[in-house]
Amino acid sequence: MNSPIWNWEIAVYLFLGGMSAGLMILSCIRSGHSSPERLLPFLSVLILSVGMAALFMDLAFKTHVYRFYLAFQWKSPMSWGSWILLGIYPAALLFGLTRVEEAEIARLTPAPLLGTIHSARRWAISQERVLKQTNLFLGIALGVYTGILLSSLGRPAWNSAVLGPLFLVSGFSAGAAILTLFTEENNLHRWEMHAISAEFALILLYIFGLTRIGNPDGSTPADLFLGGRFTAIFWVFTVMIGLCLPFVLGRILRPPVGNYRFLGASFVLIGSFSLRWIIVTAGQS
Amino acid sequence: MIFPFDSLSAHHREFGLIVAVIIGFAFGFVLERAGFGRSPKLAAQFYLYDMTVFKVMFGAIVTACLGIVVFSQLGLVELRTLSNWATSETFLWPMIVGGFLLGIGFIIAGYCPGTSAVAAASGNLDGLFTFIGVIIGSFIYSEAFPLFSRFHEASNLGHVYLYDLLHLPAPAVAAAVALMAILCFLGAEKVEQYFSEKLKRSGNTEFENNILPERHSRLARQSTFATFGALALIACFTLFLTIRNGSSRSSALPLSQADLGERVLKEPWRLRIIDLREREACLETRVPGSECVPLAELTTLALSEDTSGRDLILVGGIDLNEVPAAAATYPGRVFILEKGFEGWKSFALTAPNHPGPSASPDEVGSYRIRAALYSSLTGAKQAPPPPPPAATGGTTKKKGGGCSG
Amino acid sequence: MNESHFEKPFWNPYLAGIALGLVLLSSFLIMGRGLGASGAANRIGVAVVSAIAPAHVNANPVMASLKEDGAHPLDDWLVFEVLGLFLGGAVAALTAGRMKLGILKGPRISSEFRLVFALTGGILMGIAARLARGCTSGQALSGGALLSLGSWAFMFSVFAGGYALARLMKKEWL
């Protein structure tokens, strides 16, 4: 067994990146009238930055980050990813500006920048449709990228095309879970339930896919999750806590009442993080 | 034995862990719904106006006890094997003192360790603090272990069960416990009523509204008693069945030479080895620690009354075909040594061949045991020493019962 | 959020007892082991200390025995069972409308004292459970159902200890 090269930092990065992608998508498909929802674009940028900080902690040569941008490789998801990340900042921030009032900006920004931001906001409002579509596209791209990043690395347990959509859906439900902490709305709850069902289907598909890959010794990478040493934590944390419990509770307690929102959201977040952490660790064993 | 599924703790251990979460989930769910997530309700047990703790706990013990006894009478589980696996040995004084201390902690904290977890899970901070306290207490014990270690290991009686103590068959004891429970429940209802009346008269209005238990329907109580009674009857009835069938319950298991050799070296105190060959042959050479009792004299040992919990191992000249009637009533497990003493001679009393440098760890291990046996039994030059036993006497047992450890 | 309108009553204690007995019975039948709680608390403690000061754990043979062969102290049946216990308790409280952040206590004691008592009692029970090889779940309940002599002695002593101190602790509860 190789000692893992990628530790918890990568899992945190993939988790927060996915969550940020989910929040970006949510910011586009929801009206954005209520006060927490208006701030979604900013929240997603904030979360993404925390995730990148975790990634940065993991890089061996921290000063070499710029090289990602100097040598673009068509076939490397890492290259693609770094450009997606770079594009998200202006797109999300401009989109966020369309949803705040002029007076609010005036209160929060230092005077010298005020003029620039006001003109940026005016431009953003005129381009709102385009910005919305850009954000949606970048959100989906970021979510898929967090999964494709792994599948490009050639480890048996990561050798699955399902990882991209799986991480996208899981990131979406993590984002929705964060949002349920602040708002109470049935519509959001419905989205969450759909995301959980889709994620469950994708997980089954992922494991089924792994059973079709043979290692030289006749085992398959799926054994890691079907009797191997990741079986218990995967089925308990990711599937039972992350999917089954929130789903069943969400069905029983309709409409979702008070404390469910907190508990259900924590369950989803635990599941969503454990999915990345377990797959990152299992892939390297 | 069909149950339990051994594989869940061996090579399918990971699935066993998933089962653990499911069982724990049910455990926590029931505890919460019984009201065990609330300290005032638990503490009320000690002020006698709400005996829920007693009723739930005793009811659960009776249910599980009758259930397991009936299952074992049906031949689906081996009661003693299961019990030895699932419970810790009896360390009488540490358990009495520990119990007393735990009772004191219980009334101070308002929870026991398991219920504090349930309370914490339902948002009660006092439960969370109690659970953290349990963690700290366990840590303190580990730190101060040298101070306690002698008392910790004191008065070890081995695996002793109430049916051993009373010299009664287990189903009879279980049925007696069930009947006792019903009587206690009836008493508990009276006590509960008396003390809650008293509390009401004391004029503390807080209680009537908040703490006093709701009166439950008689129907549930009566049907519970009826169920216990019926199960107790079934248990007693199965007892008559097995008595009529004679002593069919001890079926002997085969034991290989290698296993016997290993156990003779590592844990001789868990074995009772009886050599059934002629006395002269036996006195000349035998398996270490064995008693020389020819087959005809076996009844004089009164094996059915040996409650030490050791495994009985029968050694014949060659393979024994069946378990002698006198040994079949032995309360513990009975083994027959494969190929008898002839097999032992060729296994333990002939020098083993060195397995060579490319041998697997298993082969090296079995070589070590054979070499150690050979040298210790024949006085030949000391071979490489066998691996040391895992730890001192009391702790070698596979961690059993619930909270042990 | 006001949800007191749908707080469900507790189960009838006899039926709850039978339900608990059936859970215990299935644990015996499926896994060949009983229920427990304090053993997991012990392992959690060792895991925490081992994360902070691994050398300290390795120097203490009692704690080091929980991570033999490089096993993680939390990789254990009981720990998973107690994880389930937390989940089950949370779900039961939530679906009964009893999930509420708060401190439960008698009417005559302050919250701070209640928490101090909770912690103190917990520490005592942690020590006691190690000495007795189990707590009310692992020793009294599981061992009691299998008619183990030590478990019954333990159980009677738990009640004796509780009743002995009950008068002194009256202020905390009544």
Side-chain angles (χ1 to χ4, degrees):
Chain A
M1 199 175 309
N2 321 334
S3 68
I5 306 161
W6 284 6
N7 292 316
W8 61 269
E9 292 95 341
I10 295 294
V12 169
Y13 165 61
L14 296 180
F15 170 61
L16 293 178
M19 184 194 287
S20 161
L23 288 171
M24 284 179 73
I25 297 170
L26 279 168
S27 75
C28 300
I29 58 178
R30 297 186 56 86
S31 60
H33 292 315
S34 69
S35 75
E37 288 191 11
R38 285 190 309 142
L39 301 175
L40 278 184
F42 298 113
L43 185 62
S44 59
V45 168
L46 182 71
I47 289 177
L48 183 63
S49 306
V50 177
M52 302 244 297
L55 175 69
F56 192 66
M57 283 171 67
D58 188 65
L59 288 180
F61 301 101
K62 296 190 171 34
T63 49
H64 289 191
V65 171
Y66 68 92
R67 290 191 185 174
F68 278 118
Y69 296 99
L70 293 183
F72 187 82
Q73 289 171 322
W74 280 103
K75 286 188 174 168
S76 160
M78 285 210 197
S79 254
W80 278 99
S82 33
W83 284 99
I84 292 173
L85 293 175
L86 207 61
I88 284 174
Y89 280 86
L93 289 176
L94 280 172
F95 187 49
L97 281 181
T98 66
R99 296 188 167 179
V100 287
E101 303 293 324
E102 224 161 289
E104 290 170 314
I105 297 179
R107 233 181 313 138
L108 290 171
T109 343
L113 289 173
L114 208 55
T116 330
I117 292 189
H118 273 310
S119 50
R121 175 169 177 273
R122 268 193 298 280
W123 182 80
I125 288 177
S126 72
Q127 302 293 324
E128 192 183 348
R129 253 181 83 84
V130 182
L131 278 174
K132 200 178 205 173
Q133 282 161 356
T134 316
N135 266 276
L136 187 60
F137 171 76
L138 283 174
I140 293 173
L142 175 64
V144 173
Y145 151 73
T146 56
I148 300 282
L149 179 62
L150 290 180
S151 26
S152 68
L153 291 177
R155 308 270 185 157
W158 295 341
N159 187 359
S160 168
V162 182
L163 279 185
L166 175 59
F167 279 27
L168 171 67
V169 174
S170 162
F172 178 81
S173 71
I178 289 285
L179 195 56
T180 43
L181 290 178
F182 301 108
T183 65
E184 183 176 12
E185 207 187 307
N186 267 322
N187 207 12
L188 185 65
H189 182 66
R190 255 212 336 266
W191 278 106
E192 183 76 299
M193 292 288 121
H194 289 319
I196 288 174
S197 321
E199 195 180 339
F200 188 68
L202 285 168
I203 281 181
L204 293 185
L205 209 58
Y206 167 65
I207 290 185
F208 178 73
L210 293 189
T211 60
R212 319 301 294 171
I213 307 172
N215 286 339
D217 57 355
S219 64
T220 76
D223 295 344
L224 290 169
F225 305 110
L226 298 174
R229 69 189 186 99
F230 294 96
T231 310
I233 50 171
F234 180 75
W235 290 98
V236 168
F237 283 94
T238 307
V239 178
M240 281 166 70
I241 298 181
L243 301 176
C244 299
L245 278 184
F247 189 80
V248 173
L249 282 178
R251 291 277 149 190
I252 296 175
L253 305 174
R254 263 196 309 183
V257 285
N259 288 316
Y260 163 72
R261 290 189 299 140
F262 177 72
L263 201 71
S266 336
F267 283 161
V268 169
L269 292 178
I270 290 173
S272 188
F273 176 70
S274 70
L275 173 74
R276 272 116 183 139
W277 187 68
I278 291 166
I279 289 184
V280 165
T281 320
Q284 300 176 72
S285 70
Chain B
M1 182 163 70
I2 304 169
F3 295 116
F5 304 118
D6 281 338
S7 59
L8 286 179
S9 33
H11 56 284
H12 287 149
R13 181 171 176 278
E14 291 278 329
F15 293 120
L17 295 180
I18 297 177
V19 174
V21 177
I22 296 169
I23 289 175
F25 187 93
F27 184 30
F29 194 92
V30 174
L31 285 183
E32 204 287 332
R33 285 298 168 91
F36 280 17
R38 325 210 61 160
S39 47
K41 196 167 174 68
L42 292 167
Q45 170 65 41
F46 296 104
Y47 300 100
L48 298 172
Y49 59 84
D50 183 348
M51 302 276 266
T52 304
V53 174
F54 174 77
K55 293 181 205 167
V56 173
M57 219 172 128
F58 214 8
I61 288 177
V62 170
T63 308
C65 180
L66 286 174
I68 210 82
V69 163
V70 168
F71 269 94
S72 82
Q73 291 293 310
L74 296 175
L76 293 171
V77 279
E78 178 99 39
L79 180 62
R80 190 177 288 270
T81 315
L82 174 76
S83 305
N84 288 355
W85 180 261
T87 65
S88 58
E89 291 165 312
T90 292
F91 293 79
L92 195 58
W93 282 107
M95 281 173 175
I96 290 174
V97 173
F100 197 80
L101 202 58
L102 197 129
I104 289 175
F106 194 160
I107 186 70
I108 295 177
Y111 298 106
C112 64
T115 51
S116 75
V118 173
S122 52
N124 299 330
L125 290 176
D126 45 338
L128 183 65
F129 272 62
T130 307
F131 195 75
I132 293 172
V134 176
I135 294 175
I136 298 175
S138 312
F139 174 69
I140 293 175
Y141 194 80
S142 303
E143 287 296 309
F145 190 74
L147 293 178
F148 299 112
S149 59
R150 270 191 60 192
F151 184 61
H152 186 87
E153 302 291 344
S155 57
N156 180 2
L157 307 183
H159 286 289
V160 193
Y161 302 96
L162 295 183
Y163 43 87
D164 296 331
L165 202 69
L166 302 169
H167 295 290
L168 284 170
V173 178
V177 167
L179 293 180
M180 191 176 85
I182 294 176
L183 292 178
C184 289
F185 289 150
L186 290 172
E189 293 291 332
K190 293 263 180 277
V191 171
E192 206 171 60
Q193 208 164 11
Y194 173 79
F195 279 93
S196 43
E197 293 289 325
K198 198 173 151 190
L199 215 58
K200 266 185 220 164
R201 279 201 303 275
S202 74
N204 195 336
T205 49
E206 186 100 13
F207 285 102
E208 285 179 60
N209 309 329
N210 286 334
I211 309 184
L212 284 182
E214 344 44 287
R215 309 301 321 166
H216 289 288
S217 74
R218 291 171 91 86
L219 183 68
R221 189 189 331 157
Q222 283 159 352
S223 41
T224 303
F225 294 173
T227 314
F228 287 172
L231 276 173
L233 278 180
I234 293 176
C236 293
F237 181 66
T238 54
L239 195 60
F240 288 116
L241 279 183
T242 44
I243 286 176
R244 259 225 328 259
N245 289 348
S247 50
S248 61
R249 46 178 284 251
S250 288
S251 56
L253 308 159
L255 182 71
S256 73
Q257 301 289 344
D259 287 344
L260 178 63
E262 189 173 349
R263 296 193 67 186
V264 162
L265 283 181
K266 286 187 179 170
E267 43 173 26
W269 59 87
R270 290 185 194 284
L271 307 178
R272 181 166 187 188
I273 309 170
I274 297 184
D275 198 321
L276 301 173
R277 293 174 299 150
E278 291 304 315
R279 193 174 298 275
E280 292 72 28
C282 174
L283 287 177
E284 193 179 315
T285 162
R286 59 185 182 270
V287 179
S290 54
E291 303 162 51
C292 290
V293 185
L295 196 50
E297 298 171 27
L298 200 57
T299 47
T300 60
L301 287 182
L303 284 173
S304 58
E305 286 165 27
D306 180 349
T307 55
S308 63
R310 290 177 295 177
D311 289 341
L312 180 67
I313 291 155
L314 299 173
V315 181
I318 49 167
D319 250 340
L320 285 172
N321 291 326
E322 54 173 2
V323 185
T329 54
Y330 185 76
R333 291 189 295 178
V334 180
F335 291 93
I336 290 179
L337 181 64
E338 278 174 355
K339 301 202 195 85
F341 193 79
E342 289 304 315
W344 177 257
K345 228 172 16 188
S346 60
F347 173 78
L349 305 183
T350 47
N353 294 321
H354 196 281
S358 60
S360 71
D362 280 352
E363 286 170 336
V364 174
S366 73
Y367 166 74
R368 284 195 176 171
I369 286 170
R370 280 195 66 181
L373 265 178
Y374 175 70
S375 62
S376 67
L377 297 184
T378 59
K381 188 172 78 71
Q382 184 63 46
T392 50
T395 55
T396 47
K397 179 178 167 276
K398 172 80 186 65
K399 278 290 170 350
C403 313
S404 60
Chain C
M1 212 78 26
N2 179 17
E3 49 201 271
S4 57
H5 60 277
F6 93 118
E7 184 165 326
K8 290 184 187 163
F10 295 124
W11 286 355
N12 178 300
Y14 295 109
L15 299 184
I18 291 187
L20 185 57
L22 291 177
V23 174
L24 180 59
L25 182 62
S26 39
S27 182
F28 283 144
L29 290 180
I30 298 171
M31 294 301 304
R33 46 192 311 170
L35 303 165
S38 57
N42 182 29
R43 283 178 176 273
I44 293 172
V46 173
V48 170
V49 180
S50 147
I52 302 169
H56 185 77
V57 170
N58 295 334
N60 181 322
V62 189
M63 289 199 275
S65 69
L66 295 186
K67 40 187 286 195
E68 261 169 19
D69 308 327
H72 196 278
L74 292 184
D75 185 8
D76 181 70
W77 197 87
L78 263 186
V79 177
F80 276 79
E81 188 243 47
V82 168
L83 173 70
L85 178 69
F86 270 96
L87 294 175
V91 168
L94 192 68
T95 48
R98 272 192 290 270
M99 171 75 84
K100 226 171 283 167
L101 202 62
I103 296 169
L104 296 174
K105 59 188 185 63
R108 290 194 288 162
I109 183 176
S110 73
S111 294
E112 292 78 17
F113 268 105
R114 172 71 189 104
L115 290 185
V116 170
F117 278 130
L119 193 70
T120 316
I123 293 175
L124 276 177
M125 290 193 292
I127 295 173
R130 294 291 306 284
L131 185 61
R133 279 88 174 157
C135 58
T136 21
S137 338
Q139 194 58 267
L141 190 63
S142 307
L146 293 174
L147 301 172
S148 163
L149 173 66
S151 303
W152 282 77
F154 171 83
M155 194 173 0
F156 281 112
S157 251
V158 169
F159 281 104
Y163 283 112
L165 208 70
R167 192 167 273 279
L168 212 65
M169 300 305 298
K170 213 165 179 174
K171 238 186 149 173
E172 190 184 358
W173 301 113
L174 294 182

